[in-house]
Amino acid sequence: MPGTVAPSTSENTLLAEFVVAQLDGIRGAAHGLTEEQLRRTPTASALSVGALMVHALHTTSGWLDRAEAAPGRAASDQEAAEDWQANYADDFTVRDTDTVASLDARLDALARRVRSVVAGLDLTAHVPVPDDSPWWPAGVDGWSVRWVLLHLVQEVARHAGHADIIRESLDGATMYELMAAREGWPATEWLTPWTPLS
């Protein structure tokens, strides 16, 4: 079935591929957008497809850093909480230099990093709870790498769904049509690949 992660006997491979599938969902929502559409906020949300791409880059990289550093702390976790919180809005900021192509390329490179790093991780290793945000639970000192990767699937999937809704609000395009266009599928009775509105 299109868009479904292939079976594997390796848990590391499955976890990596589920993370990558969600990153690809966000990339797909940006397929064919203009630079103006990348930044547009057509729903009640303040989010744009571009903002979600930027956030997915920051979030996935941060959690991957933590998993890779386990059982130690990632360098990014050494940042003072006040500094991190002051910069939190940057996690959603599409810069003037960002383009559909540049954000797509960065997410593609991140997907390759996910596959490379996760392949060698000990899924039972202890990942210390970050101390940079007030929403982390009290009384929990860490999670396993497996938990972190499942959390990443959940987090990025939520934002891929946000991106789908925003994209459909922009021009009516839906995930399978965009996937077909990105991957060059032929038209069938049940699916016509997306094409730009004239």
Side-chain angles (χ1 to χ4, degrees):
M1 179 177 172
T4 302
V5 171
S8 174
T9 57
S10 164
E11 187 178 5
N12 290 62
T13 297
L14 283 174
L15 289 167
E17 292 302 321
F18 271 98
V19 172
V20 168
Q22 304 318 312
L23 292 171
D24 282 350
I26 294 177
R27 292 175 66 199
H31 179 74
L33 290 180
T34 66
E35 303 309 325
E36 184 273 331
Q37 289 173 319
L38 180 73
R39 293 161 171 79
R40 196 183 301 168
T41 55
T43 68
S45 170
L47 295 172
S48 65
V49 172
L52 291 166
M53 294 174 88
V54 171
H55 182 61
L57 283 161
H58 287 280
T59 300
T60 305
S61 295
W63 279 112
L64 196 57
D65 290 347
R66 290 177 179 126
E68 195 171 19
R73 284 196 177 272
S76 58
D77 283 343
Q78 307 305 317
E79 183 179 20
E82 309 80 55
D83 294 339
W84 184 91
Q85 290 170 7
N87 295 326
Y88 180 70
D90 284 348
D91 274 9
F92 296 92
T93 301
V94 183
R95 306 217 179 279
D96 291 342
T97 54
D98 290 329
T99 65
V100 174
S102 71
L103 290 174
D104 183 74
R106 288 173 61 198
L107 283 165
D108 184 51
L110 179 57
R112 288 193 304 273
R113 181 177 173 230
V114 167
R115 288 182 173 117
S116 174
V117 168
V118 172
L121 293 178
D122 173 0
L123 299 178
T124 65
H126 178 85
V127 179
V129 170
D131 53 10
D132 58 7
S133 301
W135 51 75
W136 300 125
V140 176
D141 68 346
W143 302 287
S144 68
V145 167
R146 179 182 288 107
W147 184 97
V148 165
L149 294 171
L150 288 168
H151 173 69
L152 252 185
V153 170
Q154 176 189 38
E155 172 83 7
V156 181
R158 179 177 293 123
H159 293 314
H162 292 158
D164 283 344
I165 291 168
I166 293 167
R167 176 56 189 265
E168 192 168 0
S169 298
L170 288 169
D171 66 358
T174 59
M175 188 256 315
Y176 283 117
E177 298 165 332
L178 291 165
M179 186 182 293
R182 281 182 74 210
E183 298 179 9
W185 304 353
T188 66
E189 289 181 12
W190 64 275
L191 178 66
T192 302
W194 172 84
T195 54
L197 297 171
S198 51

